Amino acid sequence: MRSEKWEVKIICSLLFAFCFLLFAGCATVSYKKLPTGLRQSDYLSIDEFCKQYGLRYSFDTTDDIIRISSQSAQGRLLLNSLLGYFNGSIFYLKKPPLYFQGRLLLPKELGKIILSKKIGLFKPSFTIKTIVIDPGHGGKDPGAISRYGLKEKDLNSKVSKYLKEELEKRGFKVVLTRSQDTYLSLESRVGVAKKYSADLFISIHANSNRSRKVRGVEVYCLSSSRVNSHERGAGLAKRESFRPKKLSSDARAILLDVTLTKNYALSVELAHSLYFTFKNLGFRIKPPLKASFYVLKFAHSPSILVEMGYLSNQYEEKALRKTRYQKQIAESIALGVVSLGKRYAGANQ
Ligand SMILES: [Zn+2]
């Protein structure tokens, strides 16, 4: 990850990611007192709720996503957010799901939404057809360079081409942002995703660190930008004719843009899929990280950024030179994509 603009963006992003993890990601906010305007009688505990509607649920504290499902339906909610999905359609709640006194609470209104025919008739809107792969750096921008001269831009290109093959084998349409050793601005990379209406955008990179010991694959997904969403939240509330007065400033602060939220949720899911496939294939990998990289934020599609390993680490550098290893990385990513696709195909049945 070495280039003028990128370096600044990445440092900012990592700082942001750190703050995000410190303030939001690590500890799910548990209210001691309900935010102003919300009453406990408007809520059911998630156990009671799921029992009443015959649903199963899971809650992931790393991304604050609540998943609810029955045999024929699947839904996702974001903790503290008014946006939700059920069977592929987006809806707005008047009251957000909350973590209160150590219990996860869902608003009773959600029951009506789930039972409404309108929601039931919607098909999941997410199918993966076109995938844009973005080999990082290129041309005058080599990215990271290993001690032995391996350039990140070349490695990114190779793995991206293998990934293209792997995905095409599995029936996806794949477009590369660059197939030659050319320099591309971040805007034009994102422009390719827009042009082809990409369903997924995957940026391929290799890492470098001053400490040669640092190693491992990293997968970044879009940060939900909750920390700085006060203004945006208020604007959205107006546009979508919410009545923010009823909500606390905390709840308002976390209203998210529709596209960003949908992409955020899918990016998080994709990152988790990849995490598991990499892990299953024996790679050293950290749980998904969140960042506001330009390409993740503006690709207008669920996006992830994969750091395939550290060129500054001698073992990984050696492995990354090998075609077999490069192909294994490509395969892991492809399997992660397939697994995400299957999850949505399942909801369609
Ligand atoms: Zn890079």
Side-chain angles (χ1 to χ4, degrees):
M1 276 282 177
R2 216 177 284 159
S3 80
E4 318 86 296
K5 274 187 181 175
W6 267 91
E7 202 155 76
V8 176
K9 280 191 175 115
I10 282 155
I11 290 168
C12 293
S13 301
L14 287 177
L15 275 173
F16 181 82
F18 257 110
C19 296
F20 183 82
L21 288 170
L22 272 176
F23 292 115
C26 292
T28 297
V29 180
S30 179
Y31 291 100
K32 288 198 178 107
K33 226 173 77 184
L34 277 176
T36 322
L38 302 177
R39 284 175 311 210
Q40 210 168 340
S41 57
D42 297 326
Y43 286 89
L44 282 176
S45 79
I46 194 161
D47 289 307
E48 286 171 281
F49 185 92
C50 288
K51 205 173 159 193
Q52 197 167 323
Y53 294 95
L55 299 163
R56 290 183 303 271
Y57 76 89
S58 65
F59 175 52
D60 189 341
T61 51
T62 56
D63 56 21
D64 283 352
I65 292 181
I66 304 156
R67 292 182 173 78
I68 47 177
S69 62
S70 68
Q71 275 189 336
S72 57
Q74 276 189 2
R76 285 188 305 286
L77 302 156
L78 263 177
L79 193 70
N80 298 323
S81 169
L82 295 177
L83 290 166
Y85 308 93
F86 202 73
N87 275 4
S89 67
I90 297 170
F91 59 81
Y92 295 97
L93 294 160
K94 293 194 181 83
K95 297 172 178 69
L98 294 172
Y99 208 62
F100 175 60
Q101 294 182 339
R103 282 196 318 162
L104 196 53
L105 301 183
L106 295 184
K108 286 180 182 168
E109 59 177 313
L110 180 64
K112 280 188 199 150
I113 293 172
I114 288 174
L115 293 177
S116 79
K117 278 182 188 163
K118 202 176 155 206
I119 293 290
L121 287 173
F122 275 98
K123 293 276 180 196
S125 59
F126 185 63
T127 45
I128 309 168
K129 284 180 192 152
T130 308
I131 300 167
V132 167
I133 303 171
D134 174 42
H137 312 277
K140 65 179 183 186
D141 170 16
I145 304 174
S146 82
R147 280 173 89 191
Y148 307 103
L150 176 59
K151 288 180 186 155
E152 187 198 336
K153 63 172 184 178
D154 298 328
L155 179 66
N156 295 343
S157 272
K158 279 187 192 165
V159 175
S160 296
K161 282 176 188 162
Y162 293 138
L163 176 58
K164 185 173 188 282
E165 283 170 21
E166 289 291 335
L167 289 169
E168 281 174 346
K169 263 201 303 204
R170 293 167 170 87
F172 298 103
K173 182 187 170 189
V174 182
V175 181
L176 291 173
T177 54
R178 67 173 178 94
S179 49
Q180 307 290 325
D181 182 16
T182 44
Y183 175 79
L184 275 185
S185 68
L186 295 172
E187 289 81 0
S188 35
R189 290 172 195 274
V190 163
V192 176
K194 262 198 222 170
K195 186 180 165 192
Y196 289 91
S197 309
D199 299 306
L200 292 180
F201 181 89
I202 303 173
S203 200
I204 303 291
H205 285 259
N207 229 328
S208 179
N209 195 294
R210 274 190 200 152
S211 161
R212 299 223 175 97
K213 284 182 188 164
V214 180
R215 58 189 287 194
V217 181
E218 287 164 12
V219 183
Y220 288 85
C221 53
L222 184 65
S223 152
S224 64
S225 312
R226 276 183 294 179
V227 190
N228 59 3
S229 63
H230 279 261
E231 262 187 54
R232 224 155 39 80
L236 177 77
K238 215 173 161 189
R239 272 209 316 279
E240 304 293 345
S241 50
F242 287 137
R243 272 163 281 157
K245 273 181 222 152
K246 281 193 171 180
L247 293 164
S248 71
S249 60
D250 271 353
R252 251 183 297 154
I254 48 173
L255 291 176
L256 301 168
D257 174 79
V258 176
T259 314
L260 193 61
T261 303
K262 187 182 172 197
N263 287 344
Y264 163 67
L266 287 163
S267 299
V268 170
E269 285 196 51
L270 178 62
H272 278 90
S273 288
L274 258 64
Y275 168 70
F276 288 114
T277 48
F278 268 111
K279 230 180 153 182
N280 287 342
L281 289 174
F283 283 88
R284 183 189 286 242
I285 182 165
K286 292 175 198 160
L289 299 155
K290 289 170 187 171
S292 286
F293 291 128
Y294 183 93
V295 287
L296 297 186
K297 207 162 179 178
F298 296 103
H300 293 276
S301 48
S303 317
I304 52 155
L305 189 144
V306 180
E307 294 277 2
M308 302 177 280
Y310 282 79
L311 290 176
S312 44
N313 178 275
Q314 60 166 326
Y315 300 104
E316 272 187 350
E317 200 261 8
K318 210 174 154 190
L320 284 164
R321 283 176 178 276
K322 291 182 183 148
T323 305
R324 204 170 146 239
Y325 193 78
Q326 294 167 358
K327 287 188 172 171
Q328 278 174 344
I329 291 174
E331 199 190 352
S332 301
I333 300 173
L335 290 173
V337 170
V338 169
S339 132
L340 179 72
K342 273 187 187 159
R343 215 171 304 155
Y344 278 83
N348 216 351
Q349 283 159 8

Short mmCIF file of all heavy atoms in Angstrom, two decimals, residues 1-2 6 10 136-137 143-144 152 156 204-207 307, ligand 1:
data_model
loop_
_atom_site.label_atom_id
_atom_site.label_comp_id
_atom_site.label_asym_id
_atom_site.label_seq_id
_atom_site.Cartn_x
_atom_site.Cartn_y
_atom_site.Cartn_z
N MET A 1 0.86 -1.18 0.00
CA MET A 1 0.00 0.00 0.00
C MET A 1 0.88 1.22 0.00
O MET A 1 1.01 1.87 1.02
CB MET A 1 -0.81 0.03 1.29
CG MET A 1 -2.03 -0.77 1.27
SD MET A 1 -3.27 0.10 0.39
CE MET A 1 -4.51 -1.14 0.46
N ARG A 2 1.59 1.49 -1.06
CA ARG A 2 2.45 2.65 -0.98
C ARG A 2 2.22 3.56 -2.17
O ARG A 2 2.51 3.21 -3.30
CB ARG A 2 3.91 2.20 -0.93
CG ARG A 2 4.73 3.10 -0.01
CD ARG A 2 6.14 2.60 0.07
NE ARG A 2 6.28 1.44 0.92
CZ ARG A 2 7.30 0.61 0.82
NH1 ARG A 2 8.22 0.79 -0.08
NH2 ARG A 2 7.38 -0.43 1.64
N TRP A 6 -2.79 7.35 -1.59
CA TRP A 6 -3.26 6.15 -0.86
C TRP A 6 -2.76 6.17 0.56
O TRP A 6 -3.48 5.85 1.49
CB TRP A 6 -2.76 4.89 -1.57
CG TRP A 6 -3.76 4.40 -2.53
CD1 TRP A 6 -3.86 4.72 -3.84
CD2 TRP A 6 -4.85 3.52 -2.24
NE1 TRP A 6 -4.93 4.10 -4.37
CE2 TRP A 6 -5.56 3.34 -3.44
CE3 TRP A 6 -5.28 2.85 -1.08
CZ2 TRP A 6 -6.67 2.54 -3.51
CZ3 TRP A 6 -6.39 2.05 -1.17
CH2 TRP A 6 -7.07 1.91 -2.38
N ILE A 10 -5.01 5.86 3.62
CA ILE A 10 -4.97 4.62 4.40
C ILE A 10 -4.69 4.93 5.87
O ILE A 10 -5.34 4.38 6.76
CB ILE A 10 -3.94 3.65 3.81
CG1 ILE A 10 -4.59 3.01 2.58
CG2 ILE A 10 -3.53 2.59 4.79
CD1 ILE A 10 -3.62 2.52 1.59
N GLY A 136 -5.02 -3.48 -7.30
CA GLY A 136 -4.53 -2.21 -6.75
C GLY A 136 -3.26 -1.72 -7.44
O GLY A 136 -2.47 -2.51 -7.95
N HIS A 137 -3.10 -0.40 -7.45
CA HIS A 137 -1.90 0.26 -7.99
C HIS A 137 -1.74 -0.02 -9.49
O HIS A 137 -2.68 -0.43 -10.15
CB HIS A 137 -0.66 -0.12 -7.19
CG HIS A 137 -0.89 0.01 -5.71
ND1 HIS A 137 -0.78 1.19 -5.03
CD2 HIS A 137 -1.29 -0.92 -4.79
CE1 HIS A 137 -1.08 1.00 -3.74
NE2 HIS A 137 -1.41 -0.28 -3.57
N GLY A 143 2.90 0.45 -5.62
CA GLY A 143 2.40 -0.09 -4.36
C GLY A 143 3.58 -0.49 -3.50
O GLY A 143 4.68 0.08 -3.65
N ALA A 144 3.42 -1.46 -2.65
CA ALA A 144 4.52 -1.91 -1.80
C ALA A 144 5.55 -2.67 -2.63
O ALA A 144 5.19 -3.29 -3.64
CB ALA A 144 3.97 -2.79 -0.69
N GLU A 152 4.09 -4.89 -5.59
CA GLU A 152 2.69 -5.18 -5.27
C GLU A 152 1.80 -5.11 -6.51
O GLU A 152 0.93 -5.96 -6.71
CB GLU A 152 2.19 -4.20 -4.20
CG GLU A 152 0.80 -4.54 -3.70
CD GLU A 152 0.11 -3.39 -2.97
OE1 GLU A 152 0.79 -2.50 -2.44
OE2 GLU A 152 -1.13 -3.40 -2.96
N ASN A 156 -0.72 -8.03 -7.54
CA ASN A 156 -2.16 -7.74 -7.58
C ASN A 156 -2.76 -8.14 -8.93
O ASN A 156 -3.84 -8.73 -9.00
CB ASN A 156 -2.43 -6.24 -7.35
CG ASN A 156 -2.01 -5.78 -5.95
OD1 ASN A 156 -1.83 -6.58 -5.06
ND2 ASN A 156 -1.87 -4.47 -5.78
N ILE A 204 -7.91 -5.77 -4.86
CA ILE A 204 -6.86 -6.71 -4.47
C ILE A 204 -5.55 -5.96 -4.17
O ILE A 204 -5.05 -5.22 -5.02
CB ILE A 204 -6.61 -7.75 -5.60
CG1 ILE A 204 -7.90 -8.50 -5.95
CG2 ILE A 204 -5.47 -8.71 -5.25
CD1 ILE A 204 -8.40 -9.44 -4.87
N HIS A 205 -5.02 -6.19 -2.99
CA HIS A 205 -3.79 -5.52 -2.57
C HIS A 205 -2.88 -6.48 -1.81
O HIS A 205 -3.29 -7.57 -1.42
CB HIS A 205 -4.11 -4.34 -1.64
CG HIS A 205 -4.66 -3.16 -2.35
ND1 HIS A 205 -3.93 -2.06 -2.68
CD2 HIS A 205 -5.92 -2.93 -2.85
CE1 HIS A 205 -4.69 -1.19 -3.33
NE2 HIS A 205 -5.91 -1.70 -3.44
N ALA A 206 -1.64 -6.04 -1.62
CA ALA A 206 -0.73 -6.75 -0.71
C ALA A 206 -0.16 -5.70 0.23
O ALA A 206 0.00 -4.53 -0.13
CB ALA A 206 0.38 -7.44 -1.50
N ASN A 207 0.14 -6.13 1.43
CA ASN A 207 0.48 -5.20 2.49
C ASN A 207 1.98 -5.08 2.72
O ASN A 207 2.77 -5.86 2.19
CB ASN A 207 -0.17 -5.72 3.78
CG ASN A 207 -0.93 -4.64 4.49
OD1 ASN A 207 -0.55 -3.48 4.43
ND2 ASN A 207 -1.99 -5.03 5.16
N GLU A 307 -6.21 -7.68 1.46
CA GLU A 307 -4.75 -7.57 1.56
C GLU A 307 -4.27 -9.01 1.65
O GLU A 307 -4.50 -9.69 2.65
CB GLU A 307 -4.35 -6.79 2.82
CG GLU A 307 -4.77 -5.34 2.83
CD GLU A 307 -3.81 -4.42 2.07
OE1 GLU A 307 -2.82 -4.92 1.49
OE2 GLU A 307 -4.05 -3.21 2.04
ZN ZN B 1 -1.91 -1.66 -2.03
#
